[in-house]
Amino acid sequence: GDGMEHRNSTVITGEGPFTATNSLSTFAHEFFHCWNVERIRPKSLEPFNFEKSNMSEALWVAEGFTQYYTSLIMKRAGLISQHDFNRQMASLVNAKENTPGGSRYSPVENSQRAVFVDAGVAVDQTNYRNMFTSYYAHGAALGLALDLQLRTQFNKTLDGFMQQMWKVFGRTEKPYSLPDMERLLASFTSPAFAAAFFKTNVYASSPINYPALLQAAGLEIKKTFAGKAWIGNMNYTMDTTRLVIAGNTIKNTPLYDAGVDIDDVLLQVGNSKVKQPEDVETELAKYKPGANIRVVYQHRNMVIEKNVTLGENPLISITQLESAGNKLTTAQETFRRSWLDSKAGNGAD
């Protein structure tokens, strides 16, 4: 399936029975594209040349902000629950903070790599797991951060900033560059804030203090697998007789540090021989993070043994404070309602 925005139309395709109700997220995403991309349009997308690799530095805005609003407008419309919204925001934070592409490379770089990663060329065997995170997720995570920063620091919103983007670039159909966007953000907030945001989050990829930002809405970040031993998130081939690594291992994980890589065969973890992913999980359940164990694997024609130190999975979840029996403050409840409740009928533009 696919949703594809054009200058004056949108085409949505899918397999099987196709209705608005079973494809709400695609409809919501393409609905926001009616403004963002179809009219609020990066200069680097024009003119589009189907015979060249059109490289754009602004897909983190064009697709990323649209992806953020996909979840936000569905929550405001009552089409997804608070729990589902929390889960979707957690996936964005994980993409930004807990993947090499999100933590080590800027959204500009991830946008520019789109033409080499998307569509047909994505089947190429590359090391993109260690140097690329989708500009959809990366940009949406920045949209989340910017929205919360605007609300906490300036009593303004990303809604308001996108309205300014519409008035200056969308309604006039004047394509924007990233310096144009920075200048507009400076006039909307302050030159110092805009300069810092672009320097640290757009042209670089600095860590973002999501726990503090989400605390204002009474949302809490927690480790999803706290206290459980972890050797790295791995994909394996469908081979049922042996455990073959299907993709590149990820930097700063125990398997990567051990030298395990794509197409290697994992033979032993700890004291157990392994042939299925469940074998690995069963053995890891015997240990705690920080434990030192032996890993045996076959690399080409060599059998290699390494000692590795098990880590703790960095993936996070987002939960509501009240789910743990805590009570929201009046300020937190007001903040959350202003952010996530419907805007229909309140006179908003």
Side-chain angles (χ1 to χ4, degrees):
D2 184 51
M4 179 57 66
E5 68 281 4
H6 298 280
R7 189 69 172 179
N8 294 299
S9 65
T10 294
V11 177
I12 300 176
T13 59
E15 293 183 348
F18 192 81
T19 66
T21 54
N22 68 11
S23 302
L24 283 172
S25 62
T26 304
F27 275 84
H29 186 93
E30 297 305 320
F31 178 68
F32 198 77
H33 268 322
C34 292
W35 294 272
N36 197 30
V37 174
E38 291 197 22
R39 289 300 177 270
I40 306 172
R41 194 168 177 85
K43 186 180 296 183
S44 52
L45 285 182
E46 298 180 336
F48 200 87
N49 185 344
F50 286 97
E51 295 184 350
K52 301 290 184 182
S53 297
N54 280 69
M55 188 180 289
S56 173
E57 79 294 331
L59 295 181
W60 63 275
V61 183
E63 292 292 356
F65 278 24
T66 300
Q67 189 68 19
Y68 169 63
Y69 270 99
T70 299
S71 300
L72 185 58
I73 61 180
M74 289 180 68
K75 173 62 181 72
R76 288 175 173 174
L79 298 173
I80 60 174
S81 66
Q82 180 70 53
H83 173 77
D84 288 337
F85 180 80
N86 294 346
R87 180 176 52 80
Q88 292 170 14
M89 293 303 101
S91 73
L92 301 181
V93 175
N94 278 317
K96 164 65 182 70
E97 298 294 312
N98 293 322
T99 66
S103 62
R104 297 167 66 94
Y105 297 94
S106 73
V108 169
E109 292 171 301
N110 282 320
S111 295
Q112 291 171 332
R113 289 175 180 147
V115 292
F116 307 109
V117 178
D118 288 351
V121 297
V123 300
D124 294 343
Q125 282 196 359
T126 67
N127 196 32
Y128 273 115
R129 293 185 73 195
N130 281 308
M131 59 182 295
F132 176 78
T133 289
S134 172
Y135 47 89
Y136 283 82
H138 198 158
L142 289 192
L144 169 65
L146 180 57
D147 198 0
L148 295 177
Q149 288 174 334
L150 292 174
R151 291 172 183 274
T152 54
Q153 297 182 39
F154 298 95
N155 197 28
K156 294 186 176 183
T157 66
L158 189 61
D159 301 340
F161 179 65
M162 292 305 294
Q163 288 170 5
Q164 292 301 308
M165 289 282 285
W166 163 252
K167 291 174 182 177
V168 176
F169 304 114
R171 184 176 290 162
T172 62
E173 297 199 44
K174 175 187 175 184
Y176 68 89
S177 65
L178 291 187
D180 291 333
M181 184 180 175
E182 181 178 347
R183 283 190 288 270
L184 187 62
L185 183 61
S187 66
F188 187 69
T189 55
S190 72
F193 174 82
F197 183 84
F198 270 75
K199 180 180 179 180
T200 60
N201 298 314
V202 175
Y203 300 120
S205 188
S206 299
I208 294 174
N209 191 353
Y210 284 103
L213 293 174
L214 290 165
Q215 184 71 26
L219 300 177
E220 187 176 20
I221 285 183
K222 292 184 177 180
K223 286 283 188 70
T224 306
F225 303 101
K228 295 184 178 181
W230 178 69
I231 204 168
N233 295 330
M234 284 311 308
N235 296 322
Y236 304 99
T237 68
M238 299 300 290
D239 193 327
T240 59
T241 63
R242 57 184 190 156
L243 207 52
V244 182
I245 306 298
N248 298 102
T249 50
I250 303 299
K251 292 177 181 177
N252 301 322
T253 65
L255 280 182
Y256 182 93
D257 294 339
V260 180
D261 207 348
I262 186 170
D263 293 334
D264 289 350
V265 181
L266 203 55
L267 301 174
Q268 183 173 330
V269 174
N271 297 317
S272 299
K273 296 187 183 303
V274 293
K275 291 185 178 181
Q276 294 296 312
E278 295 79 10
D279 299 336
V280 178
E281 296 304 316
T282 299
E283 181 66 16
L284 291 179
K286 303 174 183 178
Y287 304 95
K288 295 293 184 182
N292 192 269
I293 67 171
R294 185 174 63 162
V295 169
V296 182
Y297 63 96
Q298 180 180 327
H299 176 74
R300 298 175 183 169
N301 295 320
M302 299 180 293
V303 173
I304 300 174
E305 296 187 20
K306 288 288 184 70
N307 288 326
V308 301
T309 301
L310 297 175
E312 182 182 65
N313 195 320
L315 292 182
I316 61 93
S317 300
I318 296 176
T319 61
Q320 296 142 250
L321 288 177
E322 59 268 34
S323 67
N326 299 310
K327 187 175 181 180
L328 288 180
T329 66
T330 301
Q332 287 172 326
E333 186 173 0
T334 300
F335 188 101
R336 190 189 294 177
R337 289 182 180 277
S338 174
W339 177 28
L340 301 179
D341 282 6
S342 172
K343 307 303 174 190
N346 66 357
D349 183 6

